[in-house]
């Protein structure tokens, strides 16, 4: 130790800046420095081979054969100690590693600079978040788990060493080389997260490398291009830059990488990079801070070194300064020879060489203890698995940081009252962000590709909220973050004219350049621009997920480090992966595909859509097949299906529940109270509780349409017409209109129908009457009552009656080719003949919906009436209506809702399993004749929707039920639960 530093060390000890901790944990591999294997290998090595173990060369797996043979020659001719892989593919890298290890006399260290995992360098691998993004996460245990996953991928790719984490404290916004690669500006946050990343890797067999010692976070020069100069005093370094490194050293980090910096406070030699400084790499790093592991240089081809030192000379001085590994050596032969010359001249001792090579060999032995057979296919599979994507989603979700939330605009409430525009800045096509926002409510999409657009601003003025995503920026301050004056001007004007909720997908420092975002009512910082952040930001805006992130750096006085507004999540559905909700993708995805495709191949339906949620997370959403067997229109997410009898619960029963919540209706009232026309019938005293549970004795169904036909098959003149008019206003099908008073005929038919004994017999007759009950009690039209008070509050604007009023035919899936009544393909009109005779507005059928909008309703019911932070239907009402009412009558039904079968099968004593064996007793749902099905299970937290048009081309096709497809998928969902 040099005497000139002694007094300062005493000062540091007394002030507690760092301690000479003799109890620091040693790097994991040092226990093997005197292992017999190390002794054996060492005894067979020449001096040049021992020096060569410190030489690491750069290589790529996307180069030509000349490059590969060159690396091959370096291994054979010089016995270099390791390779540092850069860009390429997993398969080629694994192939090359296998070859290089075979030709090497001594096992090679295989390193990669993977700060955000192998994907930083390799194709076909998922990228983990950059460290600045991770710096926003409050839960550091997630960083440990990330390190574990990175280690798993490294081992499968044949790698043993990661040149990460970055332990630099980025306190200079203009830093051109570290910046977003750092965990942030707070020493505790940087130290803690670096430590967790290190432990996650080293606990799982991959050596971690802390960089860039003694701290590269406050530079404004890129050391790749020149030698940065840091003029801070020693106290500053000890209190800030060195702090994370000391924590990592004390915790046993295996390697520390130097930075190419000129630091007069630590070494006053002019033009001397810290990498080449014995004061820094030996006196400070080893003697003062107690580091015993492998000191690694930053790349030796960088201008921060080569500007002042020649190849060979630079490597020798670095070695002499205390570095064990000289990385990215341009000329290995020259470097080895120059280091040997330094030894011959007495500048380097043999003891130093042996100590270094023993550490390197000990590390290689330690690595072999964790050996995994390299398998690029396995690495790609694991990286791209839903399990890994679920974890990545968690990391990005926890990092999202809300900086502005004036008037609690986040999450957005009152979807039934808002007109929302979703704007993509720097884009001219729909983004994942806009697509996801559209899943929550009706939004109009706009684009600003980068030019002045007064017309666009005028259009956006008409909206209650403008949600703007700012894409396509740049992480680098040297590129002005990709921000130009046109963008600044446009966003300023946008903020002046609208109520702006903005999401910035980029470097946090860039927000200081955008006054409009700082003044916006809502502002979310996403840090990075990718599929995860785009989807998650939209989910955050609507409360599917909540905000938890906090700023890892200071933007300005308004946004200091650590700020971040917490917002509630799970108030609406979110969209993720099975693993996000305690389910296994392996048990779910392929099995659903299999059962659905079996139905497609058997001809059970031309196409269908399946959507499944658990714990408020949509974990499966997929479309299959086409609109018809001969159609070129594939089923799409926004296609509307005829829900058939699902209307009974999704419209009629739900409407009654809401009225019950408002004390306007009770199931214990008699039919005559709400339908006075029944006063002279034998049905006037029927209780609605019996009607809704299908045990009132009502006739099962009446084919109303048959009463419209003459004996010759033509329509009666006072019932149906081919042209609409005031007397025939309601549409039954294309070119077919029903008399305005036909409802009274249906009412009379119900009134006159035979009444049976009080037992469970499924009947839809009373559901024809319920719309008029709802209209009379609410004072609104049937559909308006449902839209205004339920569907639009859910953001379900694609749940409608008579959809052809709002949508093109191509967005609606056809049902049956009706050869008996309407003599046409039923497309956009309700399939059920009785509902059709009411113009499509009925309680038994008539509702159309997309799967996404329907599952919002199912989820609201599963959540006991609460959705979007609003109690839409009273909790006790939901529980009452979805409970089995008369089990003593062997009636499984709730009020309107279907329930699991009760008891045992009479024939053989076995337990019935409708809808499926694992459905909870408290679960409920309904099926529809056209091939639809919904189910909710509050106990298992499942919501499920299946939509198909199994009646195309005719209703005689019962394969959907025969193959148990709808209920089979539900059982798969239960079997996929892992928690």
């Amino acid at each position: 130790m040099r005497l000139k530093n002694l007094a300062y060390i005493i000062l540091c000890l007394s002030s507690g800046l760092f301690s000479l901790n003799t109890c620091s944990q040693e790097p994991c591999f040092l226990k093997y420095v005197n292992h017999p294997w190390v002794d054996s290998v060492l005894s067979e090595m020449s001096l040049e081979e021992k020096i060569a173990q410190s030489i690491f060369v750069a290589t790529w797996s996307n180069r030509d054969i000349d490059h590969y043979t060159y690396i091959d020659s370096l291994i054979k001719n010089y016995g270099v100690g390791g390779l540092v892989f850069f860009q390429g593919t997993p398969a080629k890298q694994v192939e090359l590693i296998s070859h290089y290890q075979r030709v090497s006399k001594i096992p090679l260290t295989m390193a990669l600079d993977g700060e955000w995992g192998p994907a930083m360098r390799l194709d076909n691998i998922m990228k983990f978040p950059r460290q600045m993004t991770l710096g926003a996460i409050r839960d550091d245990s997630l960083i440990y788990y990330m390190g574990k996953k990175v280690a798993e991928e490294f081992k499968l790719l044949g790698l043993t060493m990661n040149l990460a984490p970055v332990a630099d404290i980025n306190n200079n916004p203009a830093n051109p080389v570290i910046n977003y690669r750092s965990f942030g500006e707070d020493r505790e946050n940087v130290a803690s997260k670096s430590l967790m990343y290190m432990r996650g890797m080293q606990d799982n067999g991959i050596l971690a490398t802390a960089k860039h010692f003694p701290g590269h976070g406050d530079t404004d020069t890129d050391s790749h291009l020149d030698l940065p100069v840091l003029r801070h005093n020693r106290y500053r370094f000890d209190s800030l830059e060195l702090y994370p490194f000391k924590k990592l050293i004390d915790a046993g980090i295996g390697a520390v990488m130097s930075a190419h910096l000129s630091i007069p406070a630590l070494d006053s030699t002019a033009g001397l990079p810290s990498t080449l400084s014995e004061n820094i790499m030996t006196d400070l790093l080893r003697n003062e801070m107690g580091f015993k592991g492998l000191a690694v240089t930053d790349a030796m081809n960088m201008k921060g070194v080569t500007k002042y030192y020649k190849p060979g000379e630079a490597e020798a001085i670095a070695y002499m300064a205390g570095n064990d590994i000289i990385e990215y050596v341009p000329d290995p032969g020259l470097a080895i020879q120059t280091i040997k010359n330094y030894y011959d001249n007495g500048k380097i001792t043999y003891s130093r060489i042996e100590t270094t090579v023993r550490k390197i060999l000990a590390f290689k032995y330690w690595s072999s203890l964790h050996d995994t057979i390299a398998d690029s296919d396995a690495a790609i599979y694991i990286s791209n698995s839903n399990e890994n994507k679920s974890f990545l989603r968690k990391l990005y979700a926890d990092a999202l940081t809300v900086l502005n939330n004036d008037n609690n605009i986040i999450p957005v409430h009152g979807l039934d009252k808002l007109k929302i525009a979703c704007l993509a800045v720097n884009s001219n096509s729909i983004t994942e962000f806009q697509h996801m926002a559209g899943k929550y409510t009706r939004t109009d999409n706009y684009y600003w590709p980068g030019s002045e657009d007064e017309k666009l601003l005028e259009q956006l003025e008409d909206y209650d909220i403008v949600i703007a995503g700012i894409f396509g920026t740049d992480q680098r301050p040297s590129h002005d973050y990709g921000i130009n004056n046109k963008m600044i001007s446009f966003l300023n004007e946008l903020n002046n004219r609208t109520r702006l909720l903005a999401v910035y997908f980029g470097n946090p420092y860039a927000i200081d350049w955008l006054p409009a975002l700082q003044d916006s009512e809502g502002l979310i910082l996403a840090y990075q621009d990718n599929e995860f952040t785009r989807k998650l930001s939209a989910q955050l805006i609507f409360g599917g997920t909540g905000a938890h992130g906090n700023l890892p750096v200071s933007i300005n006085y308004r946004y200091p480090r650590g700020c971040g507004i917490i917002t509630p999540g799970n108030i609406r559905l979110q969209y993720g992966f099975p693993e996000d909700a305690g389910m296994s993708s392996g048990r779910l995805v392929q099995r659903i595909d299999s059962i659905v495709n079996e139905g497609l191949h058997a001809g059970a339906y031309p196409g269908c859509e399946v959507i499944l949620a658990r714990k408020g997370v949509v974990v499966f959403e997929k479309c299959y097949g086409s609109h018809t067997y001969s159609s070129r229109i594939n089923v799409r997410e926004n296609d509307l299906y005829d829900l058939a009898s699902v209307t009974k619960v999704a419209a009629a029963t739900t409407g009654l529940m809401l009225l019950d919540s408002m004390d306007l209706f009770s199931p214990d009232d008699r039919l005559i109270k709400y339908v006075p026309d029944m006063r002279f019938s034998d049905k006037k005293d029927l209780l609605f509780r019996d009607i809704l549970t299908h045990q009132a004795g009502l006739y099962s169904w009446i084919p109303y349409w048959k009463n419209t036909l003459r004996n010759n098959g033509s329509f009666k003149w006072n019932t149906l017409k081919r042209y609409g008019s005031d007397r025939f206003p309601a549409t039954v099908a294309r070119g077919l209109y029903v008399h305005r008073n036909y409802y009274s005929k249906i009412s009379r038919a119900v009134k006159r129908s035979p009444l049976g004994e009080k037992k469970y017999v499924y009947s839809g007759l009373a559901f024809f009457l319920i719309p008029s009950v709802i209209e009379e009690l609410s004072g609104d039209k049937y559909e308006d009552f449902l839209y205004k008070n339920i569907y639009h509050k859910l953001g379900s604007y694609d749940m409608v009656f008579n959809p052809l009023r709002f949508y093109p035919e191509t967005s609606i899936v056809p049902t049956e080719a009706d050869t008996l009544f309407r003599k046409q393909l039923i497309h956009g009109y309700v399939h059920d003949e009785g509902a059709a005779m009411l113009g499509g507005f009925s309680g038994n059928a008539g509702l159309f919906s997309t799967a996404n909008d329907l599952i919002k309703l199912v989820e609201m019911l599963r959540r006991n009436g609460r959705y979007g932070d609003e109690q839409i239907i009273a909790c006790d009402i939901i529980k009452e209506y979805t409970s089995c009412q008369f089990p003593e009558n062997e009636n499984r039904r709730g009020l309107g809702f279907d329930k699991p079968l009760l008891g045992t099968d009479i024939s053989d004593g076995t337990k019935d399993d409708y809808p499926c064996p694992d459905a909870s007793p408290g679960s409920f749902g309904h099926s529809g004749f056209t091939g639809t099905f919904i189910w909710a299970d509050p106990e298992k937290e499942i919501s499920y929707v299946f939509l198909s048009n199994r009646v195309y081309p005719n209703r005689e096709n019962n394969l959907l039920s025969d193959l148990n497809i709808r209920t089979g998928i539900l059982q798969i969902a239960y079997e996929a639960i892992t928690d």
Side-chain angles (χ1 to χ4, degrees):
M1 182 180 301
R2 297 189 177 178
L3 293 177
K4 66 179 182 180
N5 290 327
L6 183 58
Y8 192 78
I9 294 168
I10 295 172
L11 172 63
C12 291
L13 288 171
S14 63
S15 61
L17 298 180
F18 65 81
S19 69
L20 301 180
N21 188 348
T22 57
C23 298
S24 297
Q25 181 177 335
E26 287 191 343
C28 42
F29 58 84
L30 285 185
K31 68 177 73 174
Y32 302 110
V33 292
N34 295 311
H35 191 276
W37 180 85
V38 173
D39 292 338
S40 174
V41 173
L42 196 63
S43 67
E44 299 293 326
M45 297 172 72
S46 68
L47 180 64
E48 287 83 357
E49 288 174 328
K50 292 173 183 176
I51 294 170
Q53 282 297 297
S54 294
I55 304 300
F56 282 29
V57 296
T59 185
W60 289 257
S61 58
N62 62 357
R63 298 287 177 90
D64 59 19
I65 190 65
D66 290 341
H67 173 73
Y68 306 143
T69 55
Y70 169 69
I71 299 299
D72 192 275
S73 70
L74 295 180
I75 297 169
K76 292 177 179 177
N77 296 336
Y78 299 111
V80 296
L83 305 179
V84 180
F85 276 86
F86 288 86
Q87 277 67 28
T89 65
K92 190 63 178 178
Q93 176 174 288
V94 168
E95 175 191 333
L96 290 170
I97 286 176
S98 177
H99 169 74
Y100 294 148
Q101 292 286 25
R102 283 198 304 271
V103 302
S104 180
K105 180 180 176 181
I106 298 169
L108 291 159
T109 293
M110 298 297 183
L112 184 138
D113 190 357
E115 295 164 19
W116 45 90
M120 183 172 172
R121 304 297 180 186
L122 301 179
D123 299 335
N124 305 319
I125 300 286
M126 297 295 294
K127 294 179 180 178
F128 289 95
R130 291 171 177 165
Q131 288 189 197
M132 184 71 77
T133 307
L134 298 171
I137 296 174
R138 298 175 192 263
D139 182 1
D140 287 352
S141 67
L142 292 173
I143 314 302
Y144 176 88
Y145 193 58
M146 187 187 104
K148 180 180 179 182
K149 283 185 164 289
V150 168
E152 180 181 26
E153 292 180 10
F154 262 60
K155 287 192 286 187
L156 287 170
L157 293 166
L159 300 163
T160 56
M161 182 179 189
N162 191 3
L163 305 182
V166 174
D168 301 313
I169 298 170
N170 197 85
N171 43 25
N172 185 343
N175 192 318
V177 65
I178 303 302
N179 207 290
Y180 57 85
R181 296 166 61 196
S182 165
F183 286 117
E185 71 179 45
D186 176 66
R187 70 175 197 168
E188 297 292 348
N189 192 39
V190 172
S192 175
K193 288 182 167 61
S194 296
L195 185 62
M196 297 301 272
Y197 193 4
M198 175 271 283
R199 283 178 171 160
M201 288 189 286
Q202 292 192 174
D203 286 354
N204 293 279
I206 296 297
L207 199 73
T209 309
K211 61 185 187 185
H212 304 83
F213 184 83
H216 210 323
D218 195 9
T219 61
D220 51 17
T221 300
D222 187 344
S223 52
H224 293 84
L225 307 176
D226 205 341
L227 180 63
V229 179
L230 273 66
R231 302 194 181 279
H232 307 306
N233 61 33
R234 178 65 192 269
Y235 179 86
R236 155 65 184 264
F237 270 95
D238 289 328
S239 62
L240 192 63
E241 275 83 1
L242 293 176
Y243 185 84
F245 292 98
K246 181 57 178 169
K247 291 289 186 181
L248 289 164
I249 290 167
D250 289 348
I253 193 159
V256 171
M257 178 185 285
S258 68
H260 302 323
L261 305 170
S262 173
I263 309 173
L266 302 179
D267 193 321
S268 60
T269 307
L272 182 68
S274 47
T275 298
L276 311 188
S277 168
E278 186 176 354
N279 285 5
I280 294 172
M281 299 308 298
T282 296
D283 291 351
L284 174 59
L285 177 61
R286 296 197 183 281
N287 299 337
E288 296 181 27
M289 299 181 70
F291 179 60
K292 297 184 176 71
L294 295 170
V296 185
T297 71
D298 205 345
M300 295 301 288
N301 69 331
M302 294 166 61
K303 296 292 185 182
V305 171
T306 62
K307 184 174 181 178
Y308 298 95
Y309 294 88
K310 296 177 181 179
E313 178 189 24
E315 287 81 5
I317 297 173
Y319 193 91
M320 185 172 64
N323 290 284
D324 300 297
I325 293 172
I326 319 297
E327 182 237 336
Y328 207 136
V329 176
D331 189 336
L334 179 60
I336 293 168
Q337 185 58 50
T338 307
I339 293 171
K340 183 177 182 299
N341 291 341
Y342 272 49
Y343 165 75
D344 292 338
N345 295 331
K347 295 181 180 180
I348 298 173
T349 66
Y350 177 78
S351 174
R352 163 65 212 288
I353 294 173
E354 181 175 346
T355 298
T356 291
V357 73
R358 277 190 176 276
K359 285 194 293 184
I360 293 172
L361 292 175
F363 157 56
K364 292 182 176 183
Y365 182 80
W366 172 82
S367 295
S368 71
L369 299 177
H370 303 277
D371 193 26
T372 299
I373 297 175
D375 186 338
S376 60
D377 289 339
I380 292 170
Y381 175 80
I382 288 171
S383 178
N384 289 280
S385 68
N386 280 352
E387 180 183 1
N388 193 49
K389 289 178 181 177
S390 170
F391 177 66
L392 291 172
R393 180 181 181 274
K394 173 67 173 172
L395 292 174
Y396 283 114
D398 278 24
L400 294 177
T401 305
V402 172
L403 298 177
N404 292 357
N405 195 20
D406 299 348
N407 304 310
N408 290 318
I409 193 174
I410 304 169
V412 173
H413 290 84
L415 301 183
D416 55 320
K417 300 177 179 67
L418 295 174
K419 183 181 179 183
I420 300 175
C422 197
L423 171 68
V425 175
N426 290 335
S427 177
N428 54 16
S429 61
I430 193 166
T431 63
E432 296 99 328
F433 175 68
Q434 291 168 300
H435 179 73
M436 182 59 69
K439 286 181 174 290
Y440 283 95
T441 188
R442 176 170 291 171
T443 59
D444 295 327
N445 293 324
Y446 292 89
Y447 311 93
W448 185 78
S451 57
E452 299 293 338
D453 198 333
E454 175 62 26
K455 183 179 178 181
L456 173 60
L457 289 167
E458 291 175 356
Q459 290 175 311
L460 294 173
E461 286 178 0
D462 293 334
Y463 288 87
D464 299 305
I465 295 178
V466 175
I467 298 172
I470 294 85
F471 308 98
T473 58
D474 197 298
Q475 291 282 350
R476 296 165 293 181
S478 59
H479 288 64
D480 295 340
Y481 304 107
I483 296 169
N484 56 42
N485 289 334
K486 285 184 179 179
M487 184 195 298
I488 294 171
S489 176
F490 174 79
L491 291 174
N492 285 342
E493 195 62 27
L494 179 66
N495 188 55
N496 290 336
R497 299 195 195 187
T498 68
R499 189 182 179 199
L500 180 61
L501 197 171
V503 184
Y504 187 77
F505 295 92
N507 193 313
Y509 293 122
I511 290 176
D512 194 39
W513 292 45
L514 297 167
L517 299 194
Q518 297 176 55
D519 294 334
S520 63
E521 191 165 342
L523 175 59
I524 299 170
L525 174 60
Y527 298 95
Q528 293 180 235
D529 185 359
N530 56 43
E531 183 179 355
F532 289 102
T533 58
R534 291 184 177 199
K535 290 181 177 180
L536 285 164
S537 296
Q539 296 182 53
L540 171 59
I541 287 170
F542 291 98
T545 61
H548 306 287
N550 55 186
L551 265 181
V553 294
S554 296
I555 296 173
N556 52 33
Y557 74 93
R558 183 170 182 173
Y559 304 118
R561 172 188 55 79
C563 73
I565 301 167
I566 305 297
T567 65
N570 201 35
I571 68 169
R572 296 188 178 97
L573 282 167
Q574 54 179 293
Y575 298 79
F577 300 95
E579 285 73 15
D580 296 323
M583 302 181 82
S584 165
S585 291
R587 299 181 194 173
L588 185 75
V589 178
Q590 290 184 349
R591 294 179 67 195
I592 292 179
D593 282 348
S594 177
I595 195 170
V596 171
N597 287 324
E598 179 186 2
L600 281 173
H601 295 150
Y605 37 75
C608 68
E609 183 172 358
V610 179
I611 187 166
L612 175 72
R614 183 167 189 253
K615 294 186 174 181
V617 183
V618 174
V619 297
F620 188 93
E621 182 179 15
K622 191 169 181 179
C623 299
Y624 301 83
S626 54
H627 283 200
T628 66
Y629 292 109
S630 60
S631 174
R632 294 182 179 178
I633 303 176
N634 292 330
V635 176
R636 299 152 300 188
E637 284 184 8
N638 292 325
D639 286 339
L640 287 89
Y641 278 84
D642 181 340
L643 301 186
S645 284
V646 171
T647 304
K648 291 183 174 71
V649 294
T653 301
T654 301
L656 292 179
M657 285 194 290
L658 180 57
L659 291 170
D660 200 347
S661 299
M662 301 163 67
D663 292 327
L664 297 175
F665 172 82
S666 170
D668 293 315
D669 286 333
R670 302 184 184 280
L671 182 62
I672 191 172
K673 179 175 180 179
Y674 303 115
V675 188
D677 287 350
M678 295 293 161
R679 60 184 176 276
F680 297 121
S681 77
D682 56 356
K683 302 170 185 64
K684 63 183 177 64
D685 290 328
L686 296 180
L687 293 175
F688 258 96
R689 190 174 296 275
D690 289 328
I691 292 171
L692 293 174
T693 52
H694 302 276
Q695 66 169 31
L698 290 172
Y699 198 65
S700 57
W701 71 291
I702 299 172
Y704 305 103
W705 65 273
K706 290 185 177 180
N707 298 325
T708 68
L709 299 177
R710 296 188 179 96
N711 292 335
N712 64 4
S714 63
F715 295 119
K716 294 179 180 178
W717 71 271
N718 64 341
T719 303
L720 294 167
K721 296 290 184 184
R722 292 295 181 185
Y723 299 97
S725 65
D726 289 343
R727 293 182 64 210
F728 294 84
T731 308
V732 174
R734 182 182 292 105
L736 197 59
Y737 299 85
V738 68
H739 194 280
R740 63 191 177 194
N741 293 329
Y742 196 78
Y743 170 76
S744 61
K745 293 186 178 181
I746 288 182
S747 178
R748 285 197 297 273
V750 173
K751 184 176 182 178
R752 296 169 182 172
S753 63
L755 186 66
E757 61 180 302
K758 186 178 178 180
K759 67 177 183 178
Y760 172 58
V761 175
Y762 183 83
S763 171
L765 294 193
F767 285 88
F768 287 96
L769 310 177
I770 288 176
S772 64
V773 172
I774 290 174
E775 291 183 350
E776 184 66 27
L777 295 176
S778 69
D780 287 327
K781 289 183 178 180
Y782 174 50
E783 66 169 332
D784 291 342
F785 177 76
L786 294 170
Y787 297 158
K788 179 173 64 176
N789 296 290
I790 301 174
Y791 303 159
H792 293 176
K793 288 180 180 291
L794 299 173
S796 294
Y797 282 84
D798 292 329
M799 290 184 72
V800 297
F801 294 88
N802 285 339
L804 284 174
R805 295 176 295 167
F806 315 110
Y807 304 90
E809 273 192 349
T810 53
S811 294
I812 307 167
V813 180
T815 51
E816 186 175 16
D818 185 353
T819 60
L820 296 177
F821 173 33
R822 288 158 285 188
K823 308 293 177 61
Q824 61 183 268
L825 175 66
I826 307 305
H827 193 177
Y829 301 95
V830 62
H831 174 264
D832 181 86
E833 296 90 346
M837 296 303 294
L838 292 175
F841 298 102
S842 180
N844 73 307
L847 190 62
F848 287 69
S849 181
T850 62
N852 182 68
D853 272 8
L854 182 56
I855 202 168
K856 295 175 193 175
L857 178 70
V858 178
E859 182 71 5
M860 180 271 288
L861 296 171
R862 184 194 71 79
R863 297 186 186 201
N864 288 320
R866 191 167 187 83
Y867 197 81
D869 220 15
E870 180 178 2
Q871 194 68 42
I872 296 174
I873 298 174
C875 176
D876 59 328
I877 299 296
I878 295 286
K879 289 181 178 179
E880 180 183 5
Y881 278 66
T882 59
S883 297
C884 181
Q885 301 293 304
F886 299 105
E888 67 278 8
N889 296 345
E890 297 185 1
N891 181 351
R892 70 176 189 266
R893 292 276 173 168
L895 295 174
F897 291 93
D898 201 356
K899 298 279 294 176
L901 288 176
L902 301 170
T904 57
D905 184 88
I906 297 174
S907 60
D908 61 8
T910 60
K911 185 181 184 301
D912 273 321
D913 59 9
Y914 177 84
C916 63
D918 290 344
S920 303
S923 63
F924 56 90
H926 213 284
S927 60
F929 187 77
T930 54
T932 58
F933 185 74
I934 64 171
W935 203 261
D937 191 329
E939 180 181 332
K940 297 295 185 181
E941 300 178 270
I942 285 175
S943 296
Y944 167 53
V945 169
F946 179 95
L947 299 182
S948 77
N949 55 335
R950 69 97 192 166
V951 295
Y952 180 88
N954 65 71
R955 67 187 66 194
E956 304 305 320
N957 181 4
N958 290 315
L959 284 172
L960 179 67
S961 296
D962 294 344
L963 296 172
N964 293 320
I965 289 169
R966 294 175 291 187
T967 54
I969 293 171
L970 181 59
Q971 177 60 24
I972 289 171
Y974 286 106
E975 293 173 359
I977 295 173
T978 57
D979 61 9

